[in-house]
Amino acid sequence: MHITRTKVALAVGVLLASAAASTSASASPARPDHGCTPSWQLVDTPPKRQNISELSGVDALSSKDVRIAGFEGVTGQSRLTRWDGRAITDTTQIPAMSVLPMGTSGPSYSSASEGWTFTSTGRVQTVQRWHDGRWAMMPLPVAPDPVHTTLYLSDVDPLSATDAWAVGGTYQAGAEIVGNTIPLGALVEHWDGSSWQIVPNPAADAPDTVLSAVAARSATDIWAVGYQAVGSGYGTFTEHYDGTSWTVVASPEGTGRSSFRDVSVGADGAVYAVGSQLLAGSATDAAPLAARWDGDAWQVMDLPDLGNGRMNKVYAANASSVWVIVEVPDGAHTFAHWDGSAWAMVEAPGPKGLGLRYYYAAIDGTGPNDVWAVGSVTDNSVVDLVDPQVSHLSCGRK
């Protein structure tokens, strides 16, 4: 966040602190449950240690155990925190591996004692395992042709200590290629309790095809979504694992160029995928895209007219309560909620003065009345100052 005057920075801090302390920040359209009408609240985070502090992942294991990941400073060193039912505090950290800029994505846990997260420095990616009360780097498979290809994972979802799935893409590599910009096929990897292994999938050799997210309901019901080449553009792409093999499942075309960015499976088995499609009447602008699995096929969902934007992350509690992080034209984020019959837009909590913008990177929960969204807040002015942001949908602090 860029701030031109010290007194403005102080005002921002006061606003954020007062907002975090407030008891109700934004009403929600979630259905009342036994007299409960949940609302979004800001939750205090531990004092940041550097000017830039952002949150990038959240995994809600229970109402009293929510794991949050983020990074701080220009080097992007990871910082892990945990909600224990009363407050968010620092927890066991991932060992620092480099003074170079490092990104952290995840985390994803199968239990309080077992989980995974990715870290990356430039084009070098590592996976960290939470096990026996500590984080440890685990080896990943090497690309079959490491001189000309590289592997990169986008998401991981563990079912147990001996069963975890990760998805991403295989990319062309070489001294003249900058970043992972030329996809060569979809990538699926599996952890069996002792090592990660590449698993065959039907799109492994499909150019311009990548899997962006994975959601595992059980060992025989796993979904992965992303995008694939369609003519001169690209379209949504989905695969499903039935316990034996991965298969391609026909996915909705959307309008023009489209892709899925995230997928979530509710406690009742309801499956929702979100992403973006081409905005009607535009050759370049994106519009939000949402689809649900009806048991036989994907169905595109009717959405409010949101204009230019996209849906980045989704959490499905069940078929009657689905929350989505929506990126709006100015780059900031808001929420959308599906109640089983209609979508409603819900403003992100927090003060709206001083040009503040809220950016949410992840969302998860334990049910319709216990949902967490994490990210950052900034006013995009002169001095780099970014604060972590945690929003909680509940019926009041337990």
Side-chain angles (χ1 to χ4, degrees):
M1 177 163 67
H2 300 287
I3 297 178
T4 56
R5 296 185 301 275
T6 303
K7 61 181 179 181
V8 175
L10 178 60
V12 172
V14 171
L15 273 173
L16 295 179
S18 62
S22 66
T23 58
S24 180
S26 179
S28 108
R31 294 178 176 177
D33 180 15
H34 303 296
C36 162
T37 302
S39 63
W40 285 99
Q41 308 165 346
L42 294 181
V43 182
D44 287 330
T45 58
K48 63 181 187 178
R49 297 172 295 198
Q50 300 192 48
N51 279 352
I52 300 174
S53 182
E54 303 181 47
L55 302 178
S56 56
V58 60
D59 194 348
L61 300 177
S62 73
S63 62
K64 295 183 179 179
D65 189 359
V66 180
R67 309 297 176 93
I68 300 170
F71 51 91
E72 292 190 321
V74 295
T75 59
Q77 292 299 316
S78 66
R79 186 175 185 181
L80 304 182
T81 55
R82 175 178 176 266
W83 166 261
D84 62 6
R86 301 178 63 183
I88 297 175
T89 57
D90 284 308
T91 186
T92 306
Q93 302 299 309
I94 299 172
M97 299 179 297
S98 172
V99 295
L100 299 174
M102 183 176 75
T104 303
S105 59
S108 187
Y109 297 81
S110 59
S111 69
S113 59
E114 188 72 33
W116 298 88
T117 190
F118 297 125
T119 56
S120 59
T121 302
R123 293 171 60 178
V124 178
Q125 185 180 50
T126 61
V127 63
Q128 306 281 340
R129 183 189 185 193
W130 173 249
H131 182 69
D132 287 339
R134 66 187 182 94
W135 289 98
M137 186 189 305
M138 305 301 293
L140 287 170
V142 177
D145 180 10
V147 175
H148 300 102
T149 62
T150 186
L151 308 179
Y152 199 85
L153 296 169
S154 303
D155 194 22
V156 60
D157 196 4
L159 288 163
S160 70
T162 59
D163 190 6
W165 292 90
V167 300
T170 300
Y171 296 86
Q172 186 172 334
E176 72 286 358
I177 298 174
V178 179
N180 298 321
T181 56
I182 306 176
L184 301 176
L187 173 66
V188 177
E189 296 187 12
H190 180 251
W191 168 261
D192 62 6
S194 59
S195 65
W196 284 97
Q197 300 291 334
I198 297 174
V199 176
N201 84 88
D205 297 316
D208 295 321
T209 302
V210 171
L211 292 171
S212 304
V214 60
R217 185 187 184 205
S218 71
T220 59
D221 187 9
I222 303 171
W223 286 94
V225 304
Y227 64 87
Q228 62 182 331
V230 177
S232 59
Y234 54 89
T236 63
F237 181 70
T238 64
E239 290 192 24
H240 183 261
Y241 182 74
D242 62 4
T244 302
S245 62
W246 286 90
T247 57
V248 175
V249 179
S251 57
E253 295 180 359
T255 302
R257 295 190 302 273
S258 58
S259 66
F260 282 143
R261 302 175 66 85
D262 198 20
V263 61
S264 180
V265 181
D268 56 359
V271 186
Y272 293 83
V274 300
S276 63
Q277 58 188 332
L278 197 64
L279 181 66
S282 172
T284 56
D285 292 341
L289 173 65
R292 65 178 180 85
W293 176 254
D294 67 6
D296 296 307
W298 286 102
Q299 303 294 334
V300 175
M301 305 180 73
D302 291 331
L303 296 170
D305 184 4
L306 304 177
N308 181 209
R310 63 186 182 186
M311 291 181 157
N312 289 340
K313 295 293 181 180
V314 58
Y315 164 66
N318 53 46
S320 299
S321 185
V322 180
W323 285 95
V324 177
I325 296 173
V326 181
E327 182 177 333
V328 292
D330 65 358
H333 296 161
T334 187
F335 301 142
H337 181 257
W338 169 256
D339 66 2
S341 60
W343 287 95
M345 300 306 297
V346 179
E347 192 173 63
K352 302 304 183 287
L354 300 175
L356 296 177
R357 294 289 184 270
Y358 299 92
Y359 302 92
Y360 285 92
I363 189 167
D364 195 32
T366 66
N369 302 324
D370 183 30
V371 184
W372 295 82
V374 304
S376 61
V377 57
T378 177
D379 77 344
N380 296 314
S381 53
V382 179
V383 178
D384 284 328
L385 183 61
V386 180
D387 287 342
Q389 185 86 342
V390 175
S391 294
H392 183 208
L393 178 78
S394 71
C395 293
R397 303 292 171 79
K398 300 294 189 292

